[in-house]
Structure formats: C-alpha cells, structure tokens
Amino acid sequence: MRVENGHGKNKPNIRKFAENDMADGFNSDGLDCESGGQKKTVKVGTRGSMLALAQTELVIKALKERFPQVDFQMVTMSTRGDRDTSRALLEFGGKAVFVEEFEEAILKGDIDVAVHSAKDMPMEIMGGLTISGTLPRACPQDILIYKSGRTFDRSDSFVVGTSSLRRQYQIRDMYPNAVCKNLRGNVGTRIQKLEDGEYDAIILAAAGLERLGIIDGSAECLEVQKDKLTFRYLSTELMLPAACQGIIAIETRTSGEAYDMVRAINDTEAYTQLTCERTVLNRLNAGCHEPIGVYSELYGDHMKLSLMKADAASSDKEKDEEIQIHRKTVEGNTADWEHLVENLIK
C-alpha cells in the first residue's frame, strides 16, 4: 500500500493469511471430487468489465494456489448497473445495482462465489450471504487525471468528471471554481472521454488503474506521466477515500465449502479495515449517496481512523455556495477498533 507524507514508512508488514484450519475436516488435501474422479468445480461470478475480470483473476489465482485440486471457473454476468450507463446511480438504485444479481445467483446455486469492489457494495446484503474474505488492499487513494502540460490553480475554473458526491465535494474544496459533471462507464471509457475533451480532468481510484496496468503502482510516487496524460495521486488528507476503496470483497453463503476456501485465503489486515470502515457507515446510517469518506490505517497494533463528511448530500449546489467539509481522526489500539468507531462518529 502506498504511504504518504511519511506515514507508515517503517510500517511493519502485518498482513497474515487466515489459519488453514477448515471446518468439518475440509482441507486442501482432501476435497470431494465429482463423479468420475474429476476436479470439484467452484463457480466464481464477476462483472464483465476489464477491471472486474482482472480482480476476479487475482482471487482465482489465490484460490488455485491454496486449492490446486479444485477447478475454479469464472462466470461473467451483467448487472443493472452495467446495462444502464446513461444515468447516475442515484437515479435508479445506487450500489445495489452492481451486486443484487450476484447475490441471487449465489442463493440459487448458479455460482458459489462473487467478487466485488468492496467500495461498491451496499450496506445491506441478502440474508444467508456474507463477505467471507478479502485480498490484500491495494492503494486506497484517488487520482486526478488530465492531459499532460495542463496545470490547475486553486482559482481556475475547469470541468471535472466524477459521479461521486464524496469526490465532488472534496475536489470543490481544493478547487472552488471546479465544475463537476457526471461520469459513468468502465475505466477505458472514462479515460477516452477525457482524451476526447468532454472533461478537463477526471477522478478515478488508483487501485483500478494499477490493477489494470494502466499505471505502475510499484514505485512510490506522487505523479505519473503516460500516454500524454498526467496521473496525480491525491493525498488522503485532501481526498479521503471511500470506505473500503482498494479492497476486493469476496462474497459467499455464510457457511459451506466455498466459504471455507475463501476464509483460507483471507487477508486479515484488509478484512479488519473492511469491517471497521463498513461499521462506520452503518453507525452513521449512511447509504451509497452521502458524501462520506472513511479510511483506516494500520501500523502494527495501532490504528488511525479518519472520517470526512460534507454538509449536504446534493450534487447541484450553487457554484458560489461555500462547501463545508468536516474531518475527524481518532487513533488507538487496533483491537479496540469498535471503541474508535464510536469516538469517530460522536
């Protein structure tokens, strides 16, 4: 994970995978096979975008390394959110439009596992299902993308493409004269719209850009120049991420072999962050439309938990109206994260 402003430069690597103890004697050395001695098949559901496929491949790779005897099959599905790209999510169902069809498919037995970007998951998931594991968290930051050679001063007026209220309010806090316009579509489509001049800049998550190989996230950097575009990492102090940004969530039934397999590859640090950040949203009774950012940082046994809230939940405020951004940070022992959550939301 990228570190910023000196935070975490000596951060110990505390990522540990879950213990391999499997329920009811289920383990990687003794999977039941289908008739005829063929490998057991586990169906992994995913959306069809390049980013969704890349993230699902990471999950399947981790599962195959742990369970080489199992045949993990990718099942591509289309969601309501994928089919309707002309409207803002606010208009037809919010984050659930990317998830509900997968949950129905798990409950019907059409798939065993679903892979999601954790930040796109609604707070309420269907009964009988759970987020059973995560992979290690990628860079949580947002990136401002614009054509190379362009510069932005605080007083400049320019058009920024983003559908996120959280991003809209924070970019307006950085650039009061910025005009935010709705931006939908997959990563490639959004970048193409920037190149075509529909926007002066767009904001995307660093994790997706790095997982797609559009930019190299291996080096510590603040800015990347590539293909006549500038990719500028925005510090979390200025642009607090969405809850769970950069985390891949793996959803299954609440028990069973698929659940056990996912638990075996679970990254405990990322899972702790996911649980903590989703709890903040739940305690705030926040849906998918509020301009709220939540970010937890783990340094060994120490947790730093940050919250950003804007003063309204509308994207059409008058341009000259002042935006009130409220930020709060609490710190303490990771084991006491629930107490930190309560202090944060006071």
Side-chain angles (χ1 to χ4, degrees), residues 7-209:
H7 295 308
K9 288 185 177 179
N10 297 314
K11 174 183 175 182
N13 182 3
I14 67 168
R15 285 176 176 155
K16 297 179 181 178
F17 288 95
E19 295 298 325
N20 294 330
D21 298 334
M22 309 302 289
D24 301 324
F26 176 79
N27 59 67
S28 61
D29 299 320
L31 296 180
D32 292 333
C33 293
E34 304 291 348
S35 60
Q38 296 181 354
K39 283 187 175 183
K40 182 179 183 65
T41 299
V42 172
K43 295 180 179 179
V44 183
T46 177
R47 295 165 61 195
S49 72
M50 290 183 65
L51 178 56
L53 295 173
Q55 293 183 157
T56 304
E57 286 173 357
L58 291 174
V59 171
I60 290 178
K61 178 182 178 182
L63 286 167
K64 282 183 175 179
E65 288 176 352
R66 180 64 180 83
F67 301 100
Q69 308 91 326
V70 179
D71 180 20
F72 294 97
Q73 294 184 359
M74 187 182 297
V75 179
T76 303
M77 297 172 56
S78 175
T79 68
R80 281 202 297 142
D82 297 313
R83 293 188 292 272
D84 188 342
T85 60
S86 61
R87 294 184 292 169
L89 296 179
L90 181 66
E91 299 178 21
F92 69 108
K95 294 179 180 180
V97 300
F98 292 120
V99 175
E100 57 191 6
E101 279 125 328
F102 289 101
E103 295 185 332
E104 292 168 355
I106 295 175
L107 292 174
K108 289 190 296 184
D110 294 337
I111 60 174
D112 305 292
V113 176
V115 178
H116 310 286
S117 293
K119 73 182 182 67
D120 293 334
M121 293 197 70
M123 289 307 302
E124 296 294 331
I125 62 178
M126 293 184 182
L129 303 179
T130 186
I131 299 174
S132 47
T134 67
L135 295 188
R137 190 174 202 167
C139 176
Q141 291 169 252
D142 283 308
I143 290 183
L144 186 67
I145 311 172
Y146 48 92
K147 293 180 180 179
S148 295
R150 180 72 186 264
T151 60
F152 299 106
D153 294 326
R154 181 170 172 79
S155 61
D156 286 351
S157 176
F158 58 97
V159 177
V160 181
T162 176
S163 301
S164 161
L165 292 177
R166 172 190 62 83
R167 288 169 174 163
Q168 289 179 23
Y169 280 97
Q170 290 186 100
I171 202 70
R172 286 276 307 277
D173 192 44
M174 297 166 60
Y175 300 101
N177 295 319
V179 177
C180 296
K181 292 188 176 181
N182 186 54
L183 177 64
R184 291 286 312 280
N186 59 40
V187 172
T189 297
R190 297 184 189 196
I191 292 177
Q192 187 61 54
K193 289 181 178 180
L194 170 66
E195 293 178 330
D196 290 344
E198 294 185 37
Y199 307 90
D200 298 307
I202 62 174
I203 305 174
L204 298 178
L209 294 167

